[in-house]
């Protein structure tokens, strides 16, 4: 029988130190690290298509596009690795960002529930966020939470979805280019 060991939440500094040495990535959820699983081929291909679409729009607006290796600090005890995020404001963090205007999560069987509940609640609390997009890796389906005058609205793509902070539109066909349904 093992010895009981006290467990306590990690501080942001402890988490960042752990991540520098860890062989796998962890998200920090309410102070507790959670190991991340690898992504499928289809998931990665959707992310690459998104980078090819969003990259030129971000560059034109003077914004920066980050992919899954940059952390997003959503509060003092929670840090995620979103699939993509766009930052247009000054955000000088070296190991994490705090001021995205757009966050994109690519859904899979293992991540969908977390992305639609836990991360949704945390992301929509960010004052700089203008849109949170959920892109399904399994079927051509994109939904997004867009900040409006009276709060957040949910919209599903019917061909295109607006990208508020980038001033463009996300074309469903382009996101799934080269992928069989």
């Amino acid at each position: 029988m093992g010895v009981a060991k006290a467990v306590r939440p990690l501080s942001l500094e402890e988490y960042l130190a752990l991540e520098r040495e860890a062989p796998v990535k962890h998200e920090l959820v309410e102070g507790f690290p959670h190991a991340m699983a690898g992504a499928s081929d289809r998931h990665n291909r959707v992310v690459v298509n998104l980078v090819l679409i969003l990259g030129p729009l971000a560059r034109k607006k003077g914004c920066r596009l980050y992919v899954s290796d940059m952390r997003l600090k959503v509060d003092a005890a929670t840090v995620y690795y979103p699939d993509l995020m766009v930052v247009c404001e000054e955000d000088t963090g070296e190991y994490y960002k705090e001021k995205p205007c757009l966050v994109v999560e690519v859904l899979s069987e293992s991540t969908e529930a977390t992305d639609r509940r836990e991360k949704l609640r945390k992301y929509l609390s960010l004052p700089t966020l203008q849109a949170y997009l959920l892109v399904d890796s399994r079927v051509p389906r994109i939904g997004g939470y867009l900040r409006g005058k009276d709060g957040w609205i949910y919209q599903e793509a019917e061909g295109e979805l607006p990208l508020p902070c980038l001033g463009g539109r996300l074309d469903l066909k382009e996101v799934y280019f080269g992928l069989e349904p």
Side-chain angles (χ1 to χ4, degrees), residues 54-115:
L54 299 178
L57 294 171
R59 183 173 286 174
K60 188 182 288 185
K61 285 282 197 177
C63 303
R64 290 154 320 281
L65 177 65
Y66 296 96
V67 292
S68 59
D69 283 335
M70 178 53 76
R71 297 170 197 88
L72 172 57
K73 178 183 167 194
V74 294
D75 61 37
T78 305
V79 179
Y80 297 121
Y81 283 95
D83 288 310
L84 288 104
M85 70 176 148
V86 175
V87 177
C88 295
E89 293 187 27
E90 186 66 28
D91 195 341
T92 59
E94 183 67 22
Y95 298 105
Y96 59 86
K97 299 299 173 192
E98 297 180 83
K99 301 177 182 176
C101 65
L102 172 65
V103 171
V104 180
E105 291 289 3
V106 177
L107 305 176
S108 66
E109 191 72 37
S110 63
T111 65
E112 184 170 13
T114 301
D115 293 338

Side-chain angles (χ1 to χ4, degrees), residues 2 7 15-16 26 31 34 47 49 56 65 67 102 108 129 136 144 148 153 158-159 165-166:
V7 177
Y15 161 73
L16 292 172
H26 297 83
H34 293 267
V47 170
N49 285 347
L65 177 65
V67 292
L102 172 65
S108 66
L129 194 71
D136 203 311
I153 58 165
E158 292 182 20
C165 66
L166 295 176

Side-chain angles (χ1 to χ4, degrees), residues 10-173:
L10 297 177
S11 69
L12 179 62
E13 293 74 25
E14 290 170 321
Y15 161 73
L16 292 172
L18 172 76
E19 279 298 274
R20 281 192 284 278
E21 305 298 323
V24 298
K25 293 191 302 190
H26 297 83
E27 292 185 322
L28 186 68
V29 181
E30 300 300 331
F32 294 94
H34 293 267
M36 296 180 64
S40 69
D41 175 81
R42 188 168 174 89
H43 180 282
N44 276 286
R45 290 171 65 193
V46 168
V47 170
V48 168
N49 285 347
L50 286 163
V51 168
L52 292 171
I53 296 163
L54 299 178
L57 294 171
R59 183 173 286 174
K60 188 182 288 185
K61 285 282 197 177
C63 303
R64 290 154 320 281
L65 177 65
Y66 296 96
V67 292
S68 59
D69 283 335
M70 178 53 76
R71 297 170 197 88
L72 172 57
K73 178 183 167 194
V74 294
D75 61 37
T78 305
V79 179
Y80 297 121
Y81 283 95
D83 288 310
L84 288 104
M85 70 176 148
V86 175
V87 177
C88 295
E89 293 187 27
E90 186 66 28
D91 195 341
T92 59
E94 183 67 22
Y95 298 105
Y96 59 86
K97 299 299 173 192
E98 297 180 83
K99 301 177 182 176
C101 65
L102 172 65
V103 171
V104 180
E105 291 289 3
V106 177
L107 305 176
S108 66
E109 191 72 37
S110 63
T111 65
E112 184 170 13
T114 301
D115 293 338
R116 287 192 184 278
R117 283 194 316 258
E118 173 191 314
K119 289 184 179 182
L120 169 67
R121 184 175 56 83
K122 294 285 192 175
Y123 290 155
L124 297 191
S125 73
L126 296 169
T128 59
L129 194 71
Q130 295 178 32
Y132 173 40
L133 304 183
L134 297 159
V135 179
D136 203 311
S137 66
R138 301 155 294 184
V139 296
R141 184 175 56 225
I142 302 173
Y145 292 86
L146 309 171
R147 188 185 298 268
K149 293 177 198 168
D150 300 321
W152 293 98
I153 58 165
Y154 181 78
Q155 183 177 340
E156 291 222 357
E158 292 182 20
E160 293 184 332
L161 198 61
L163 297 168
C165 66
L166 295 176
R169 300 189 73 72
L170 191 59
D171 184 314
L172 193 67
K173 289 179 188 169

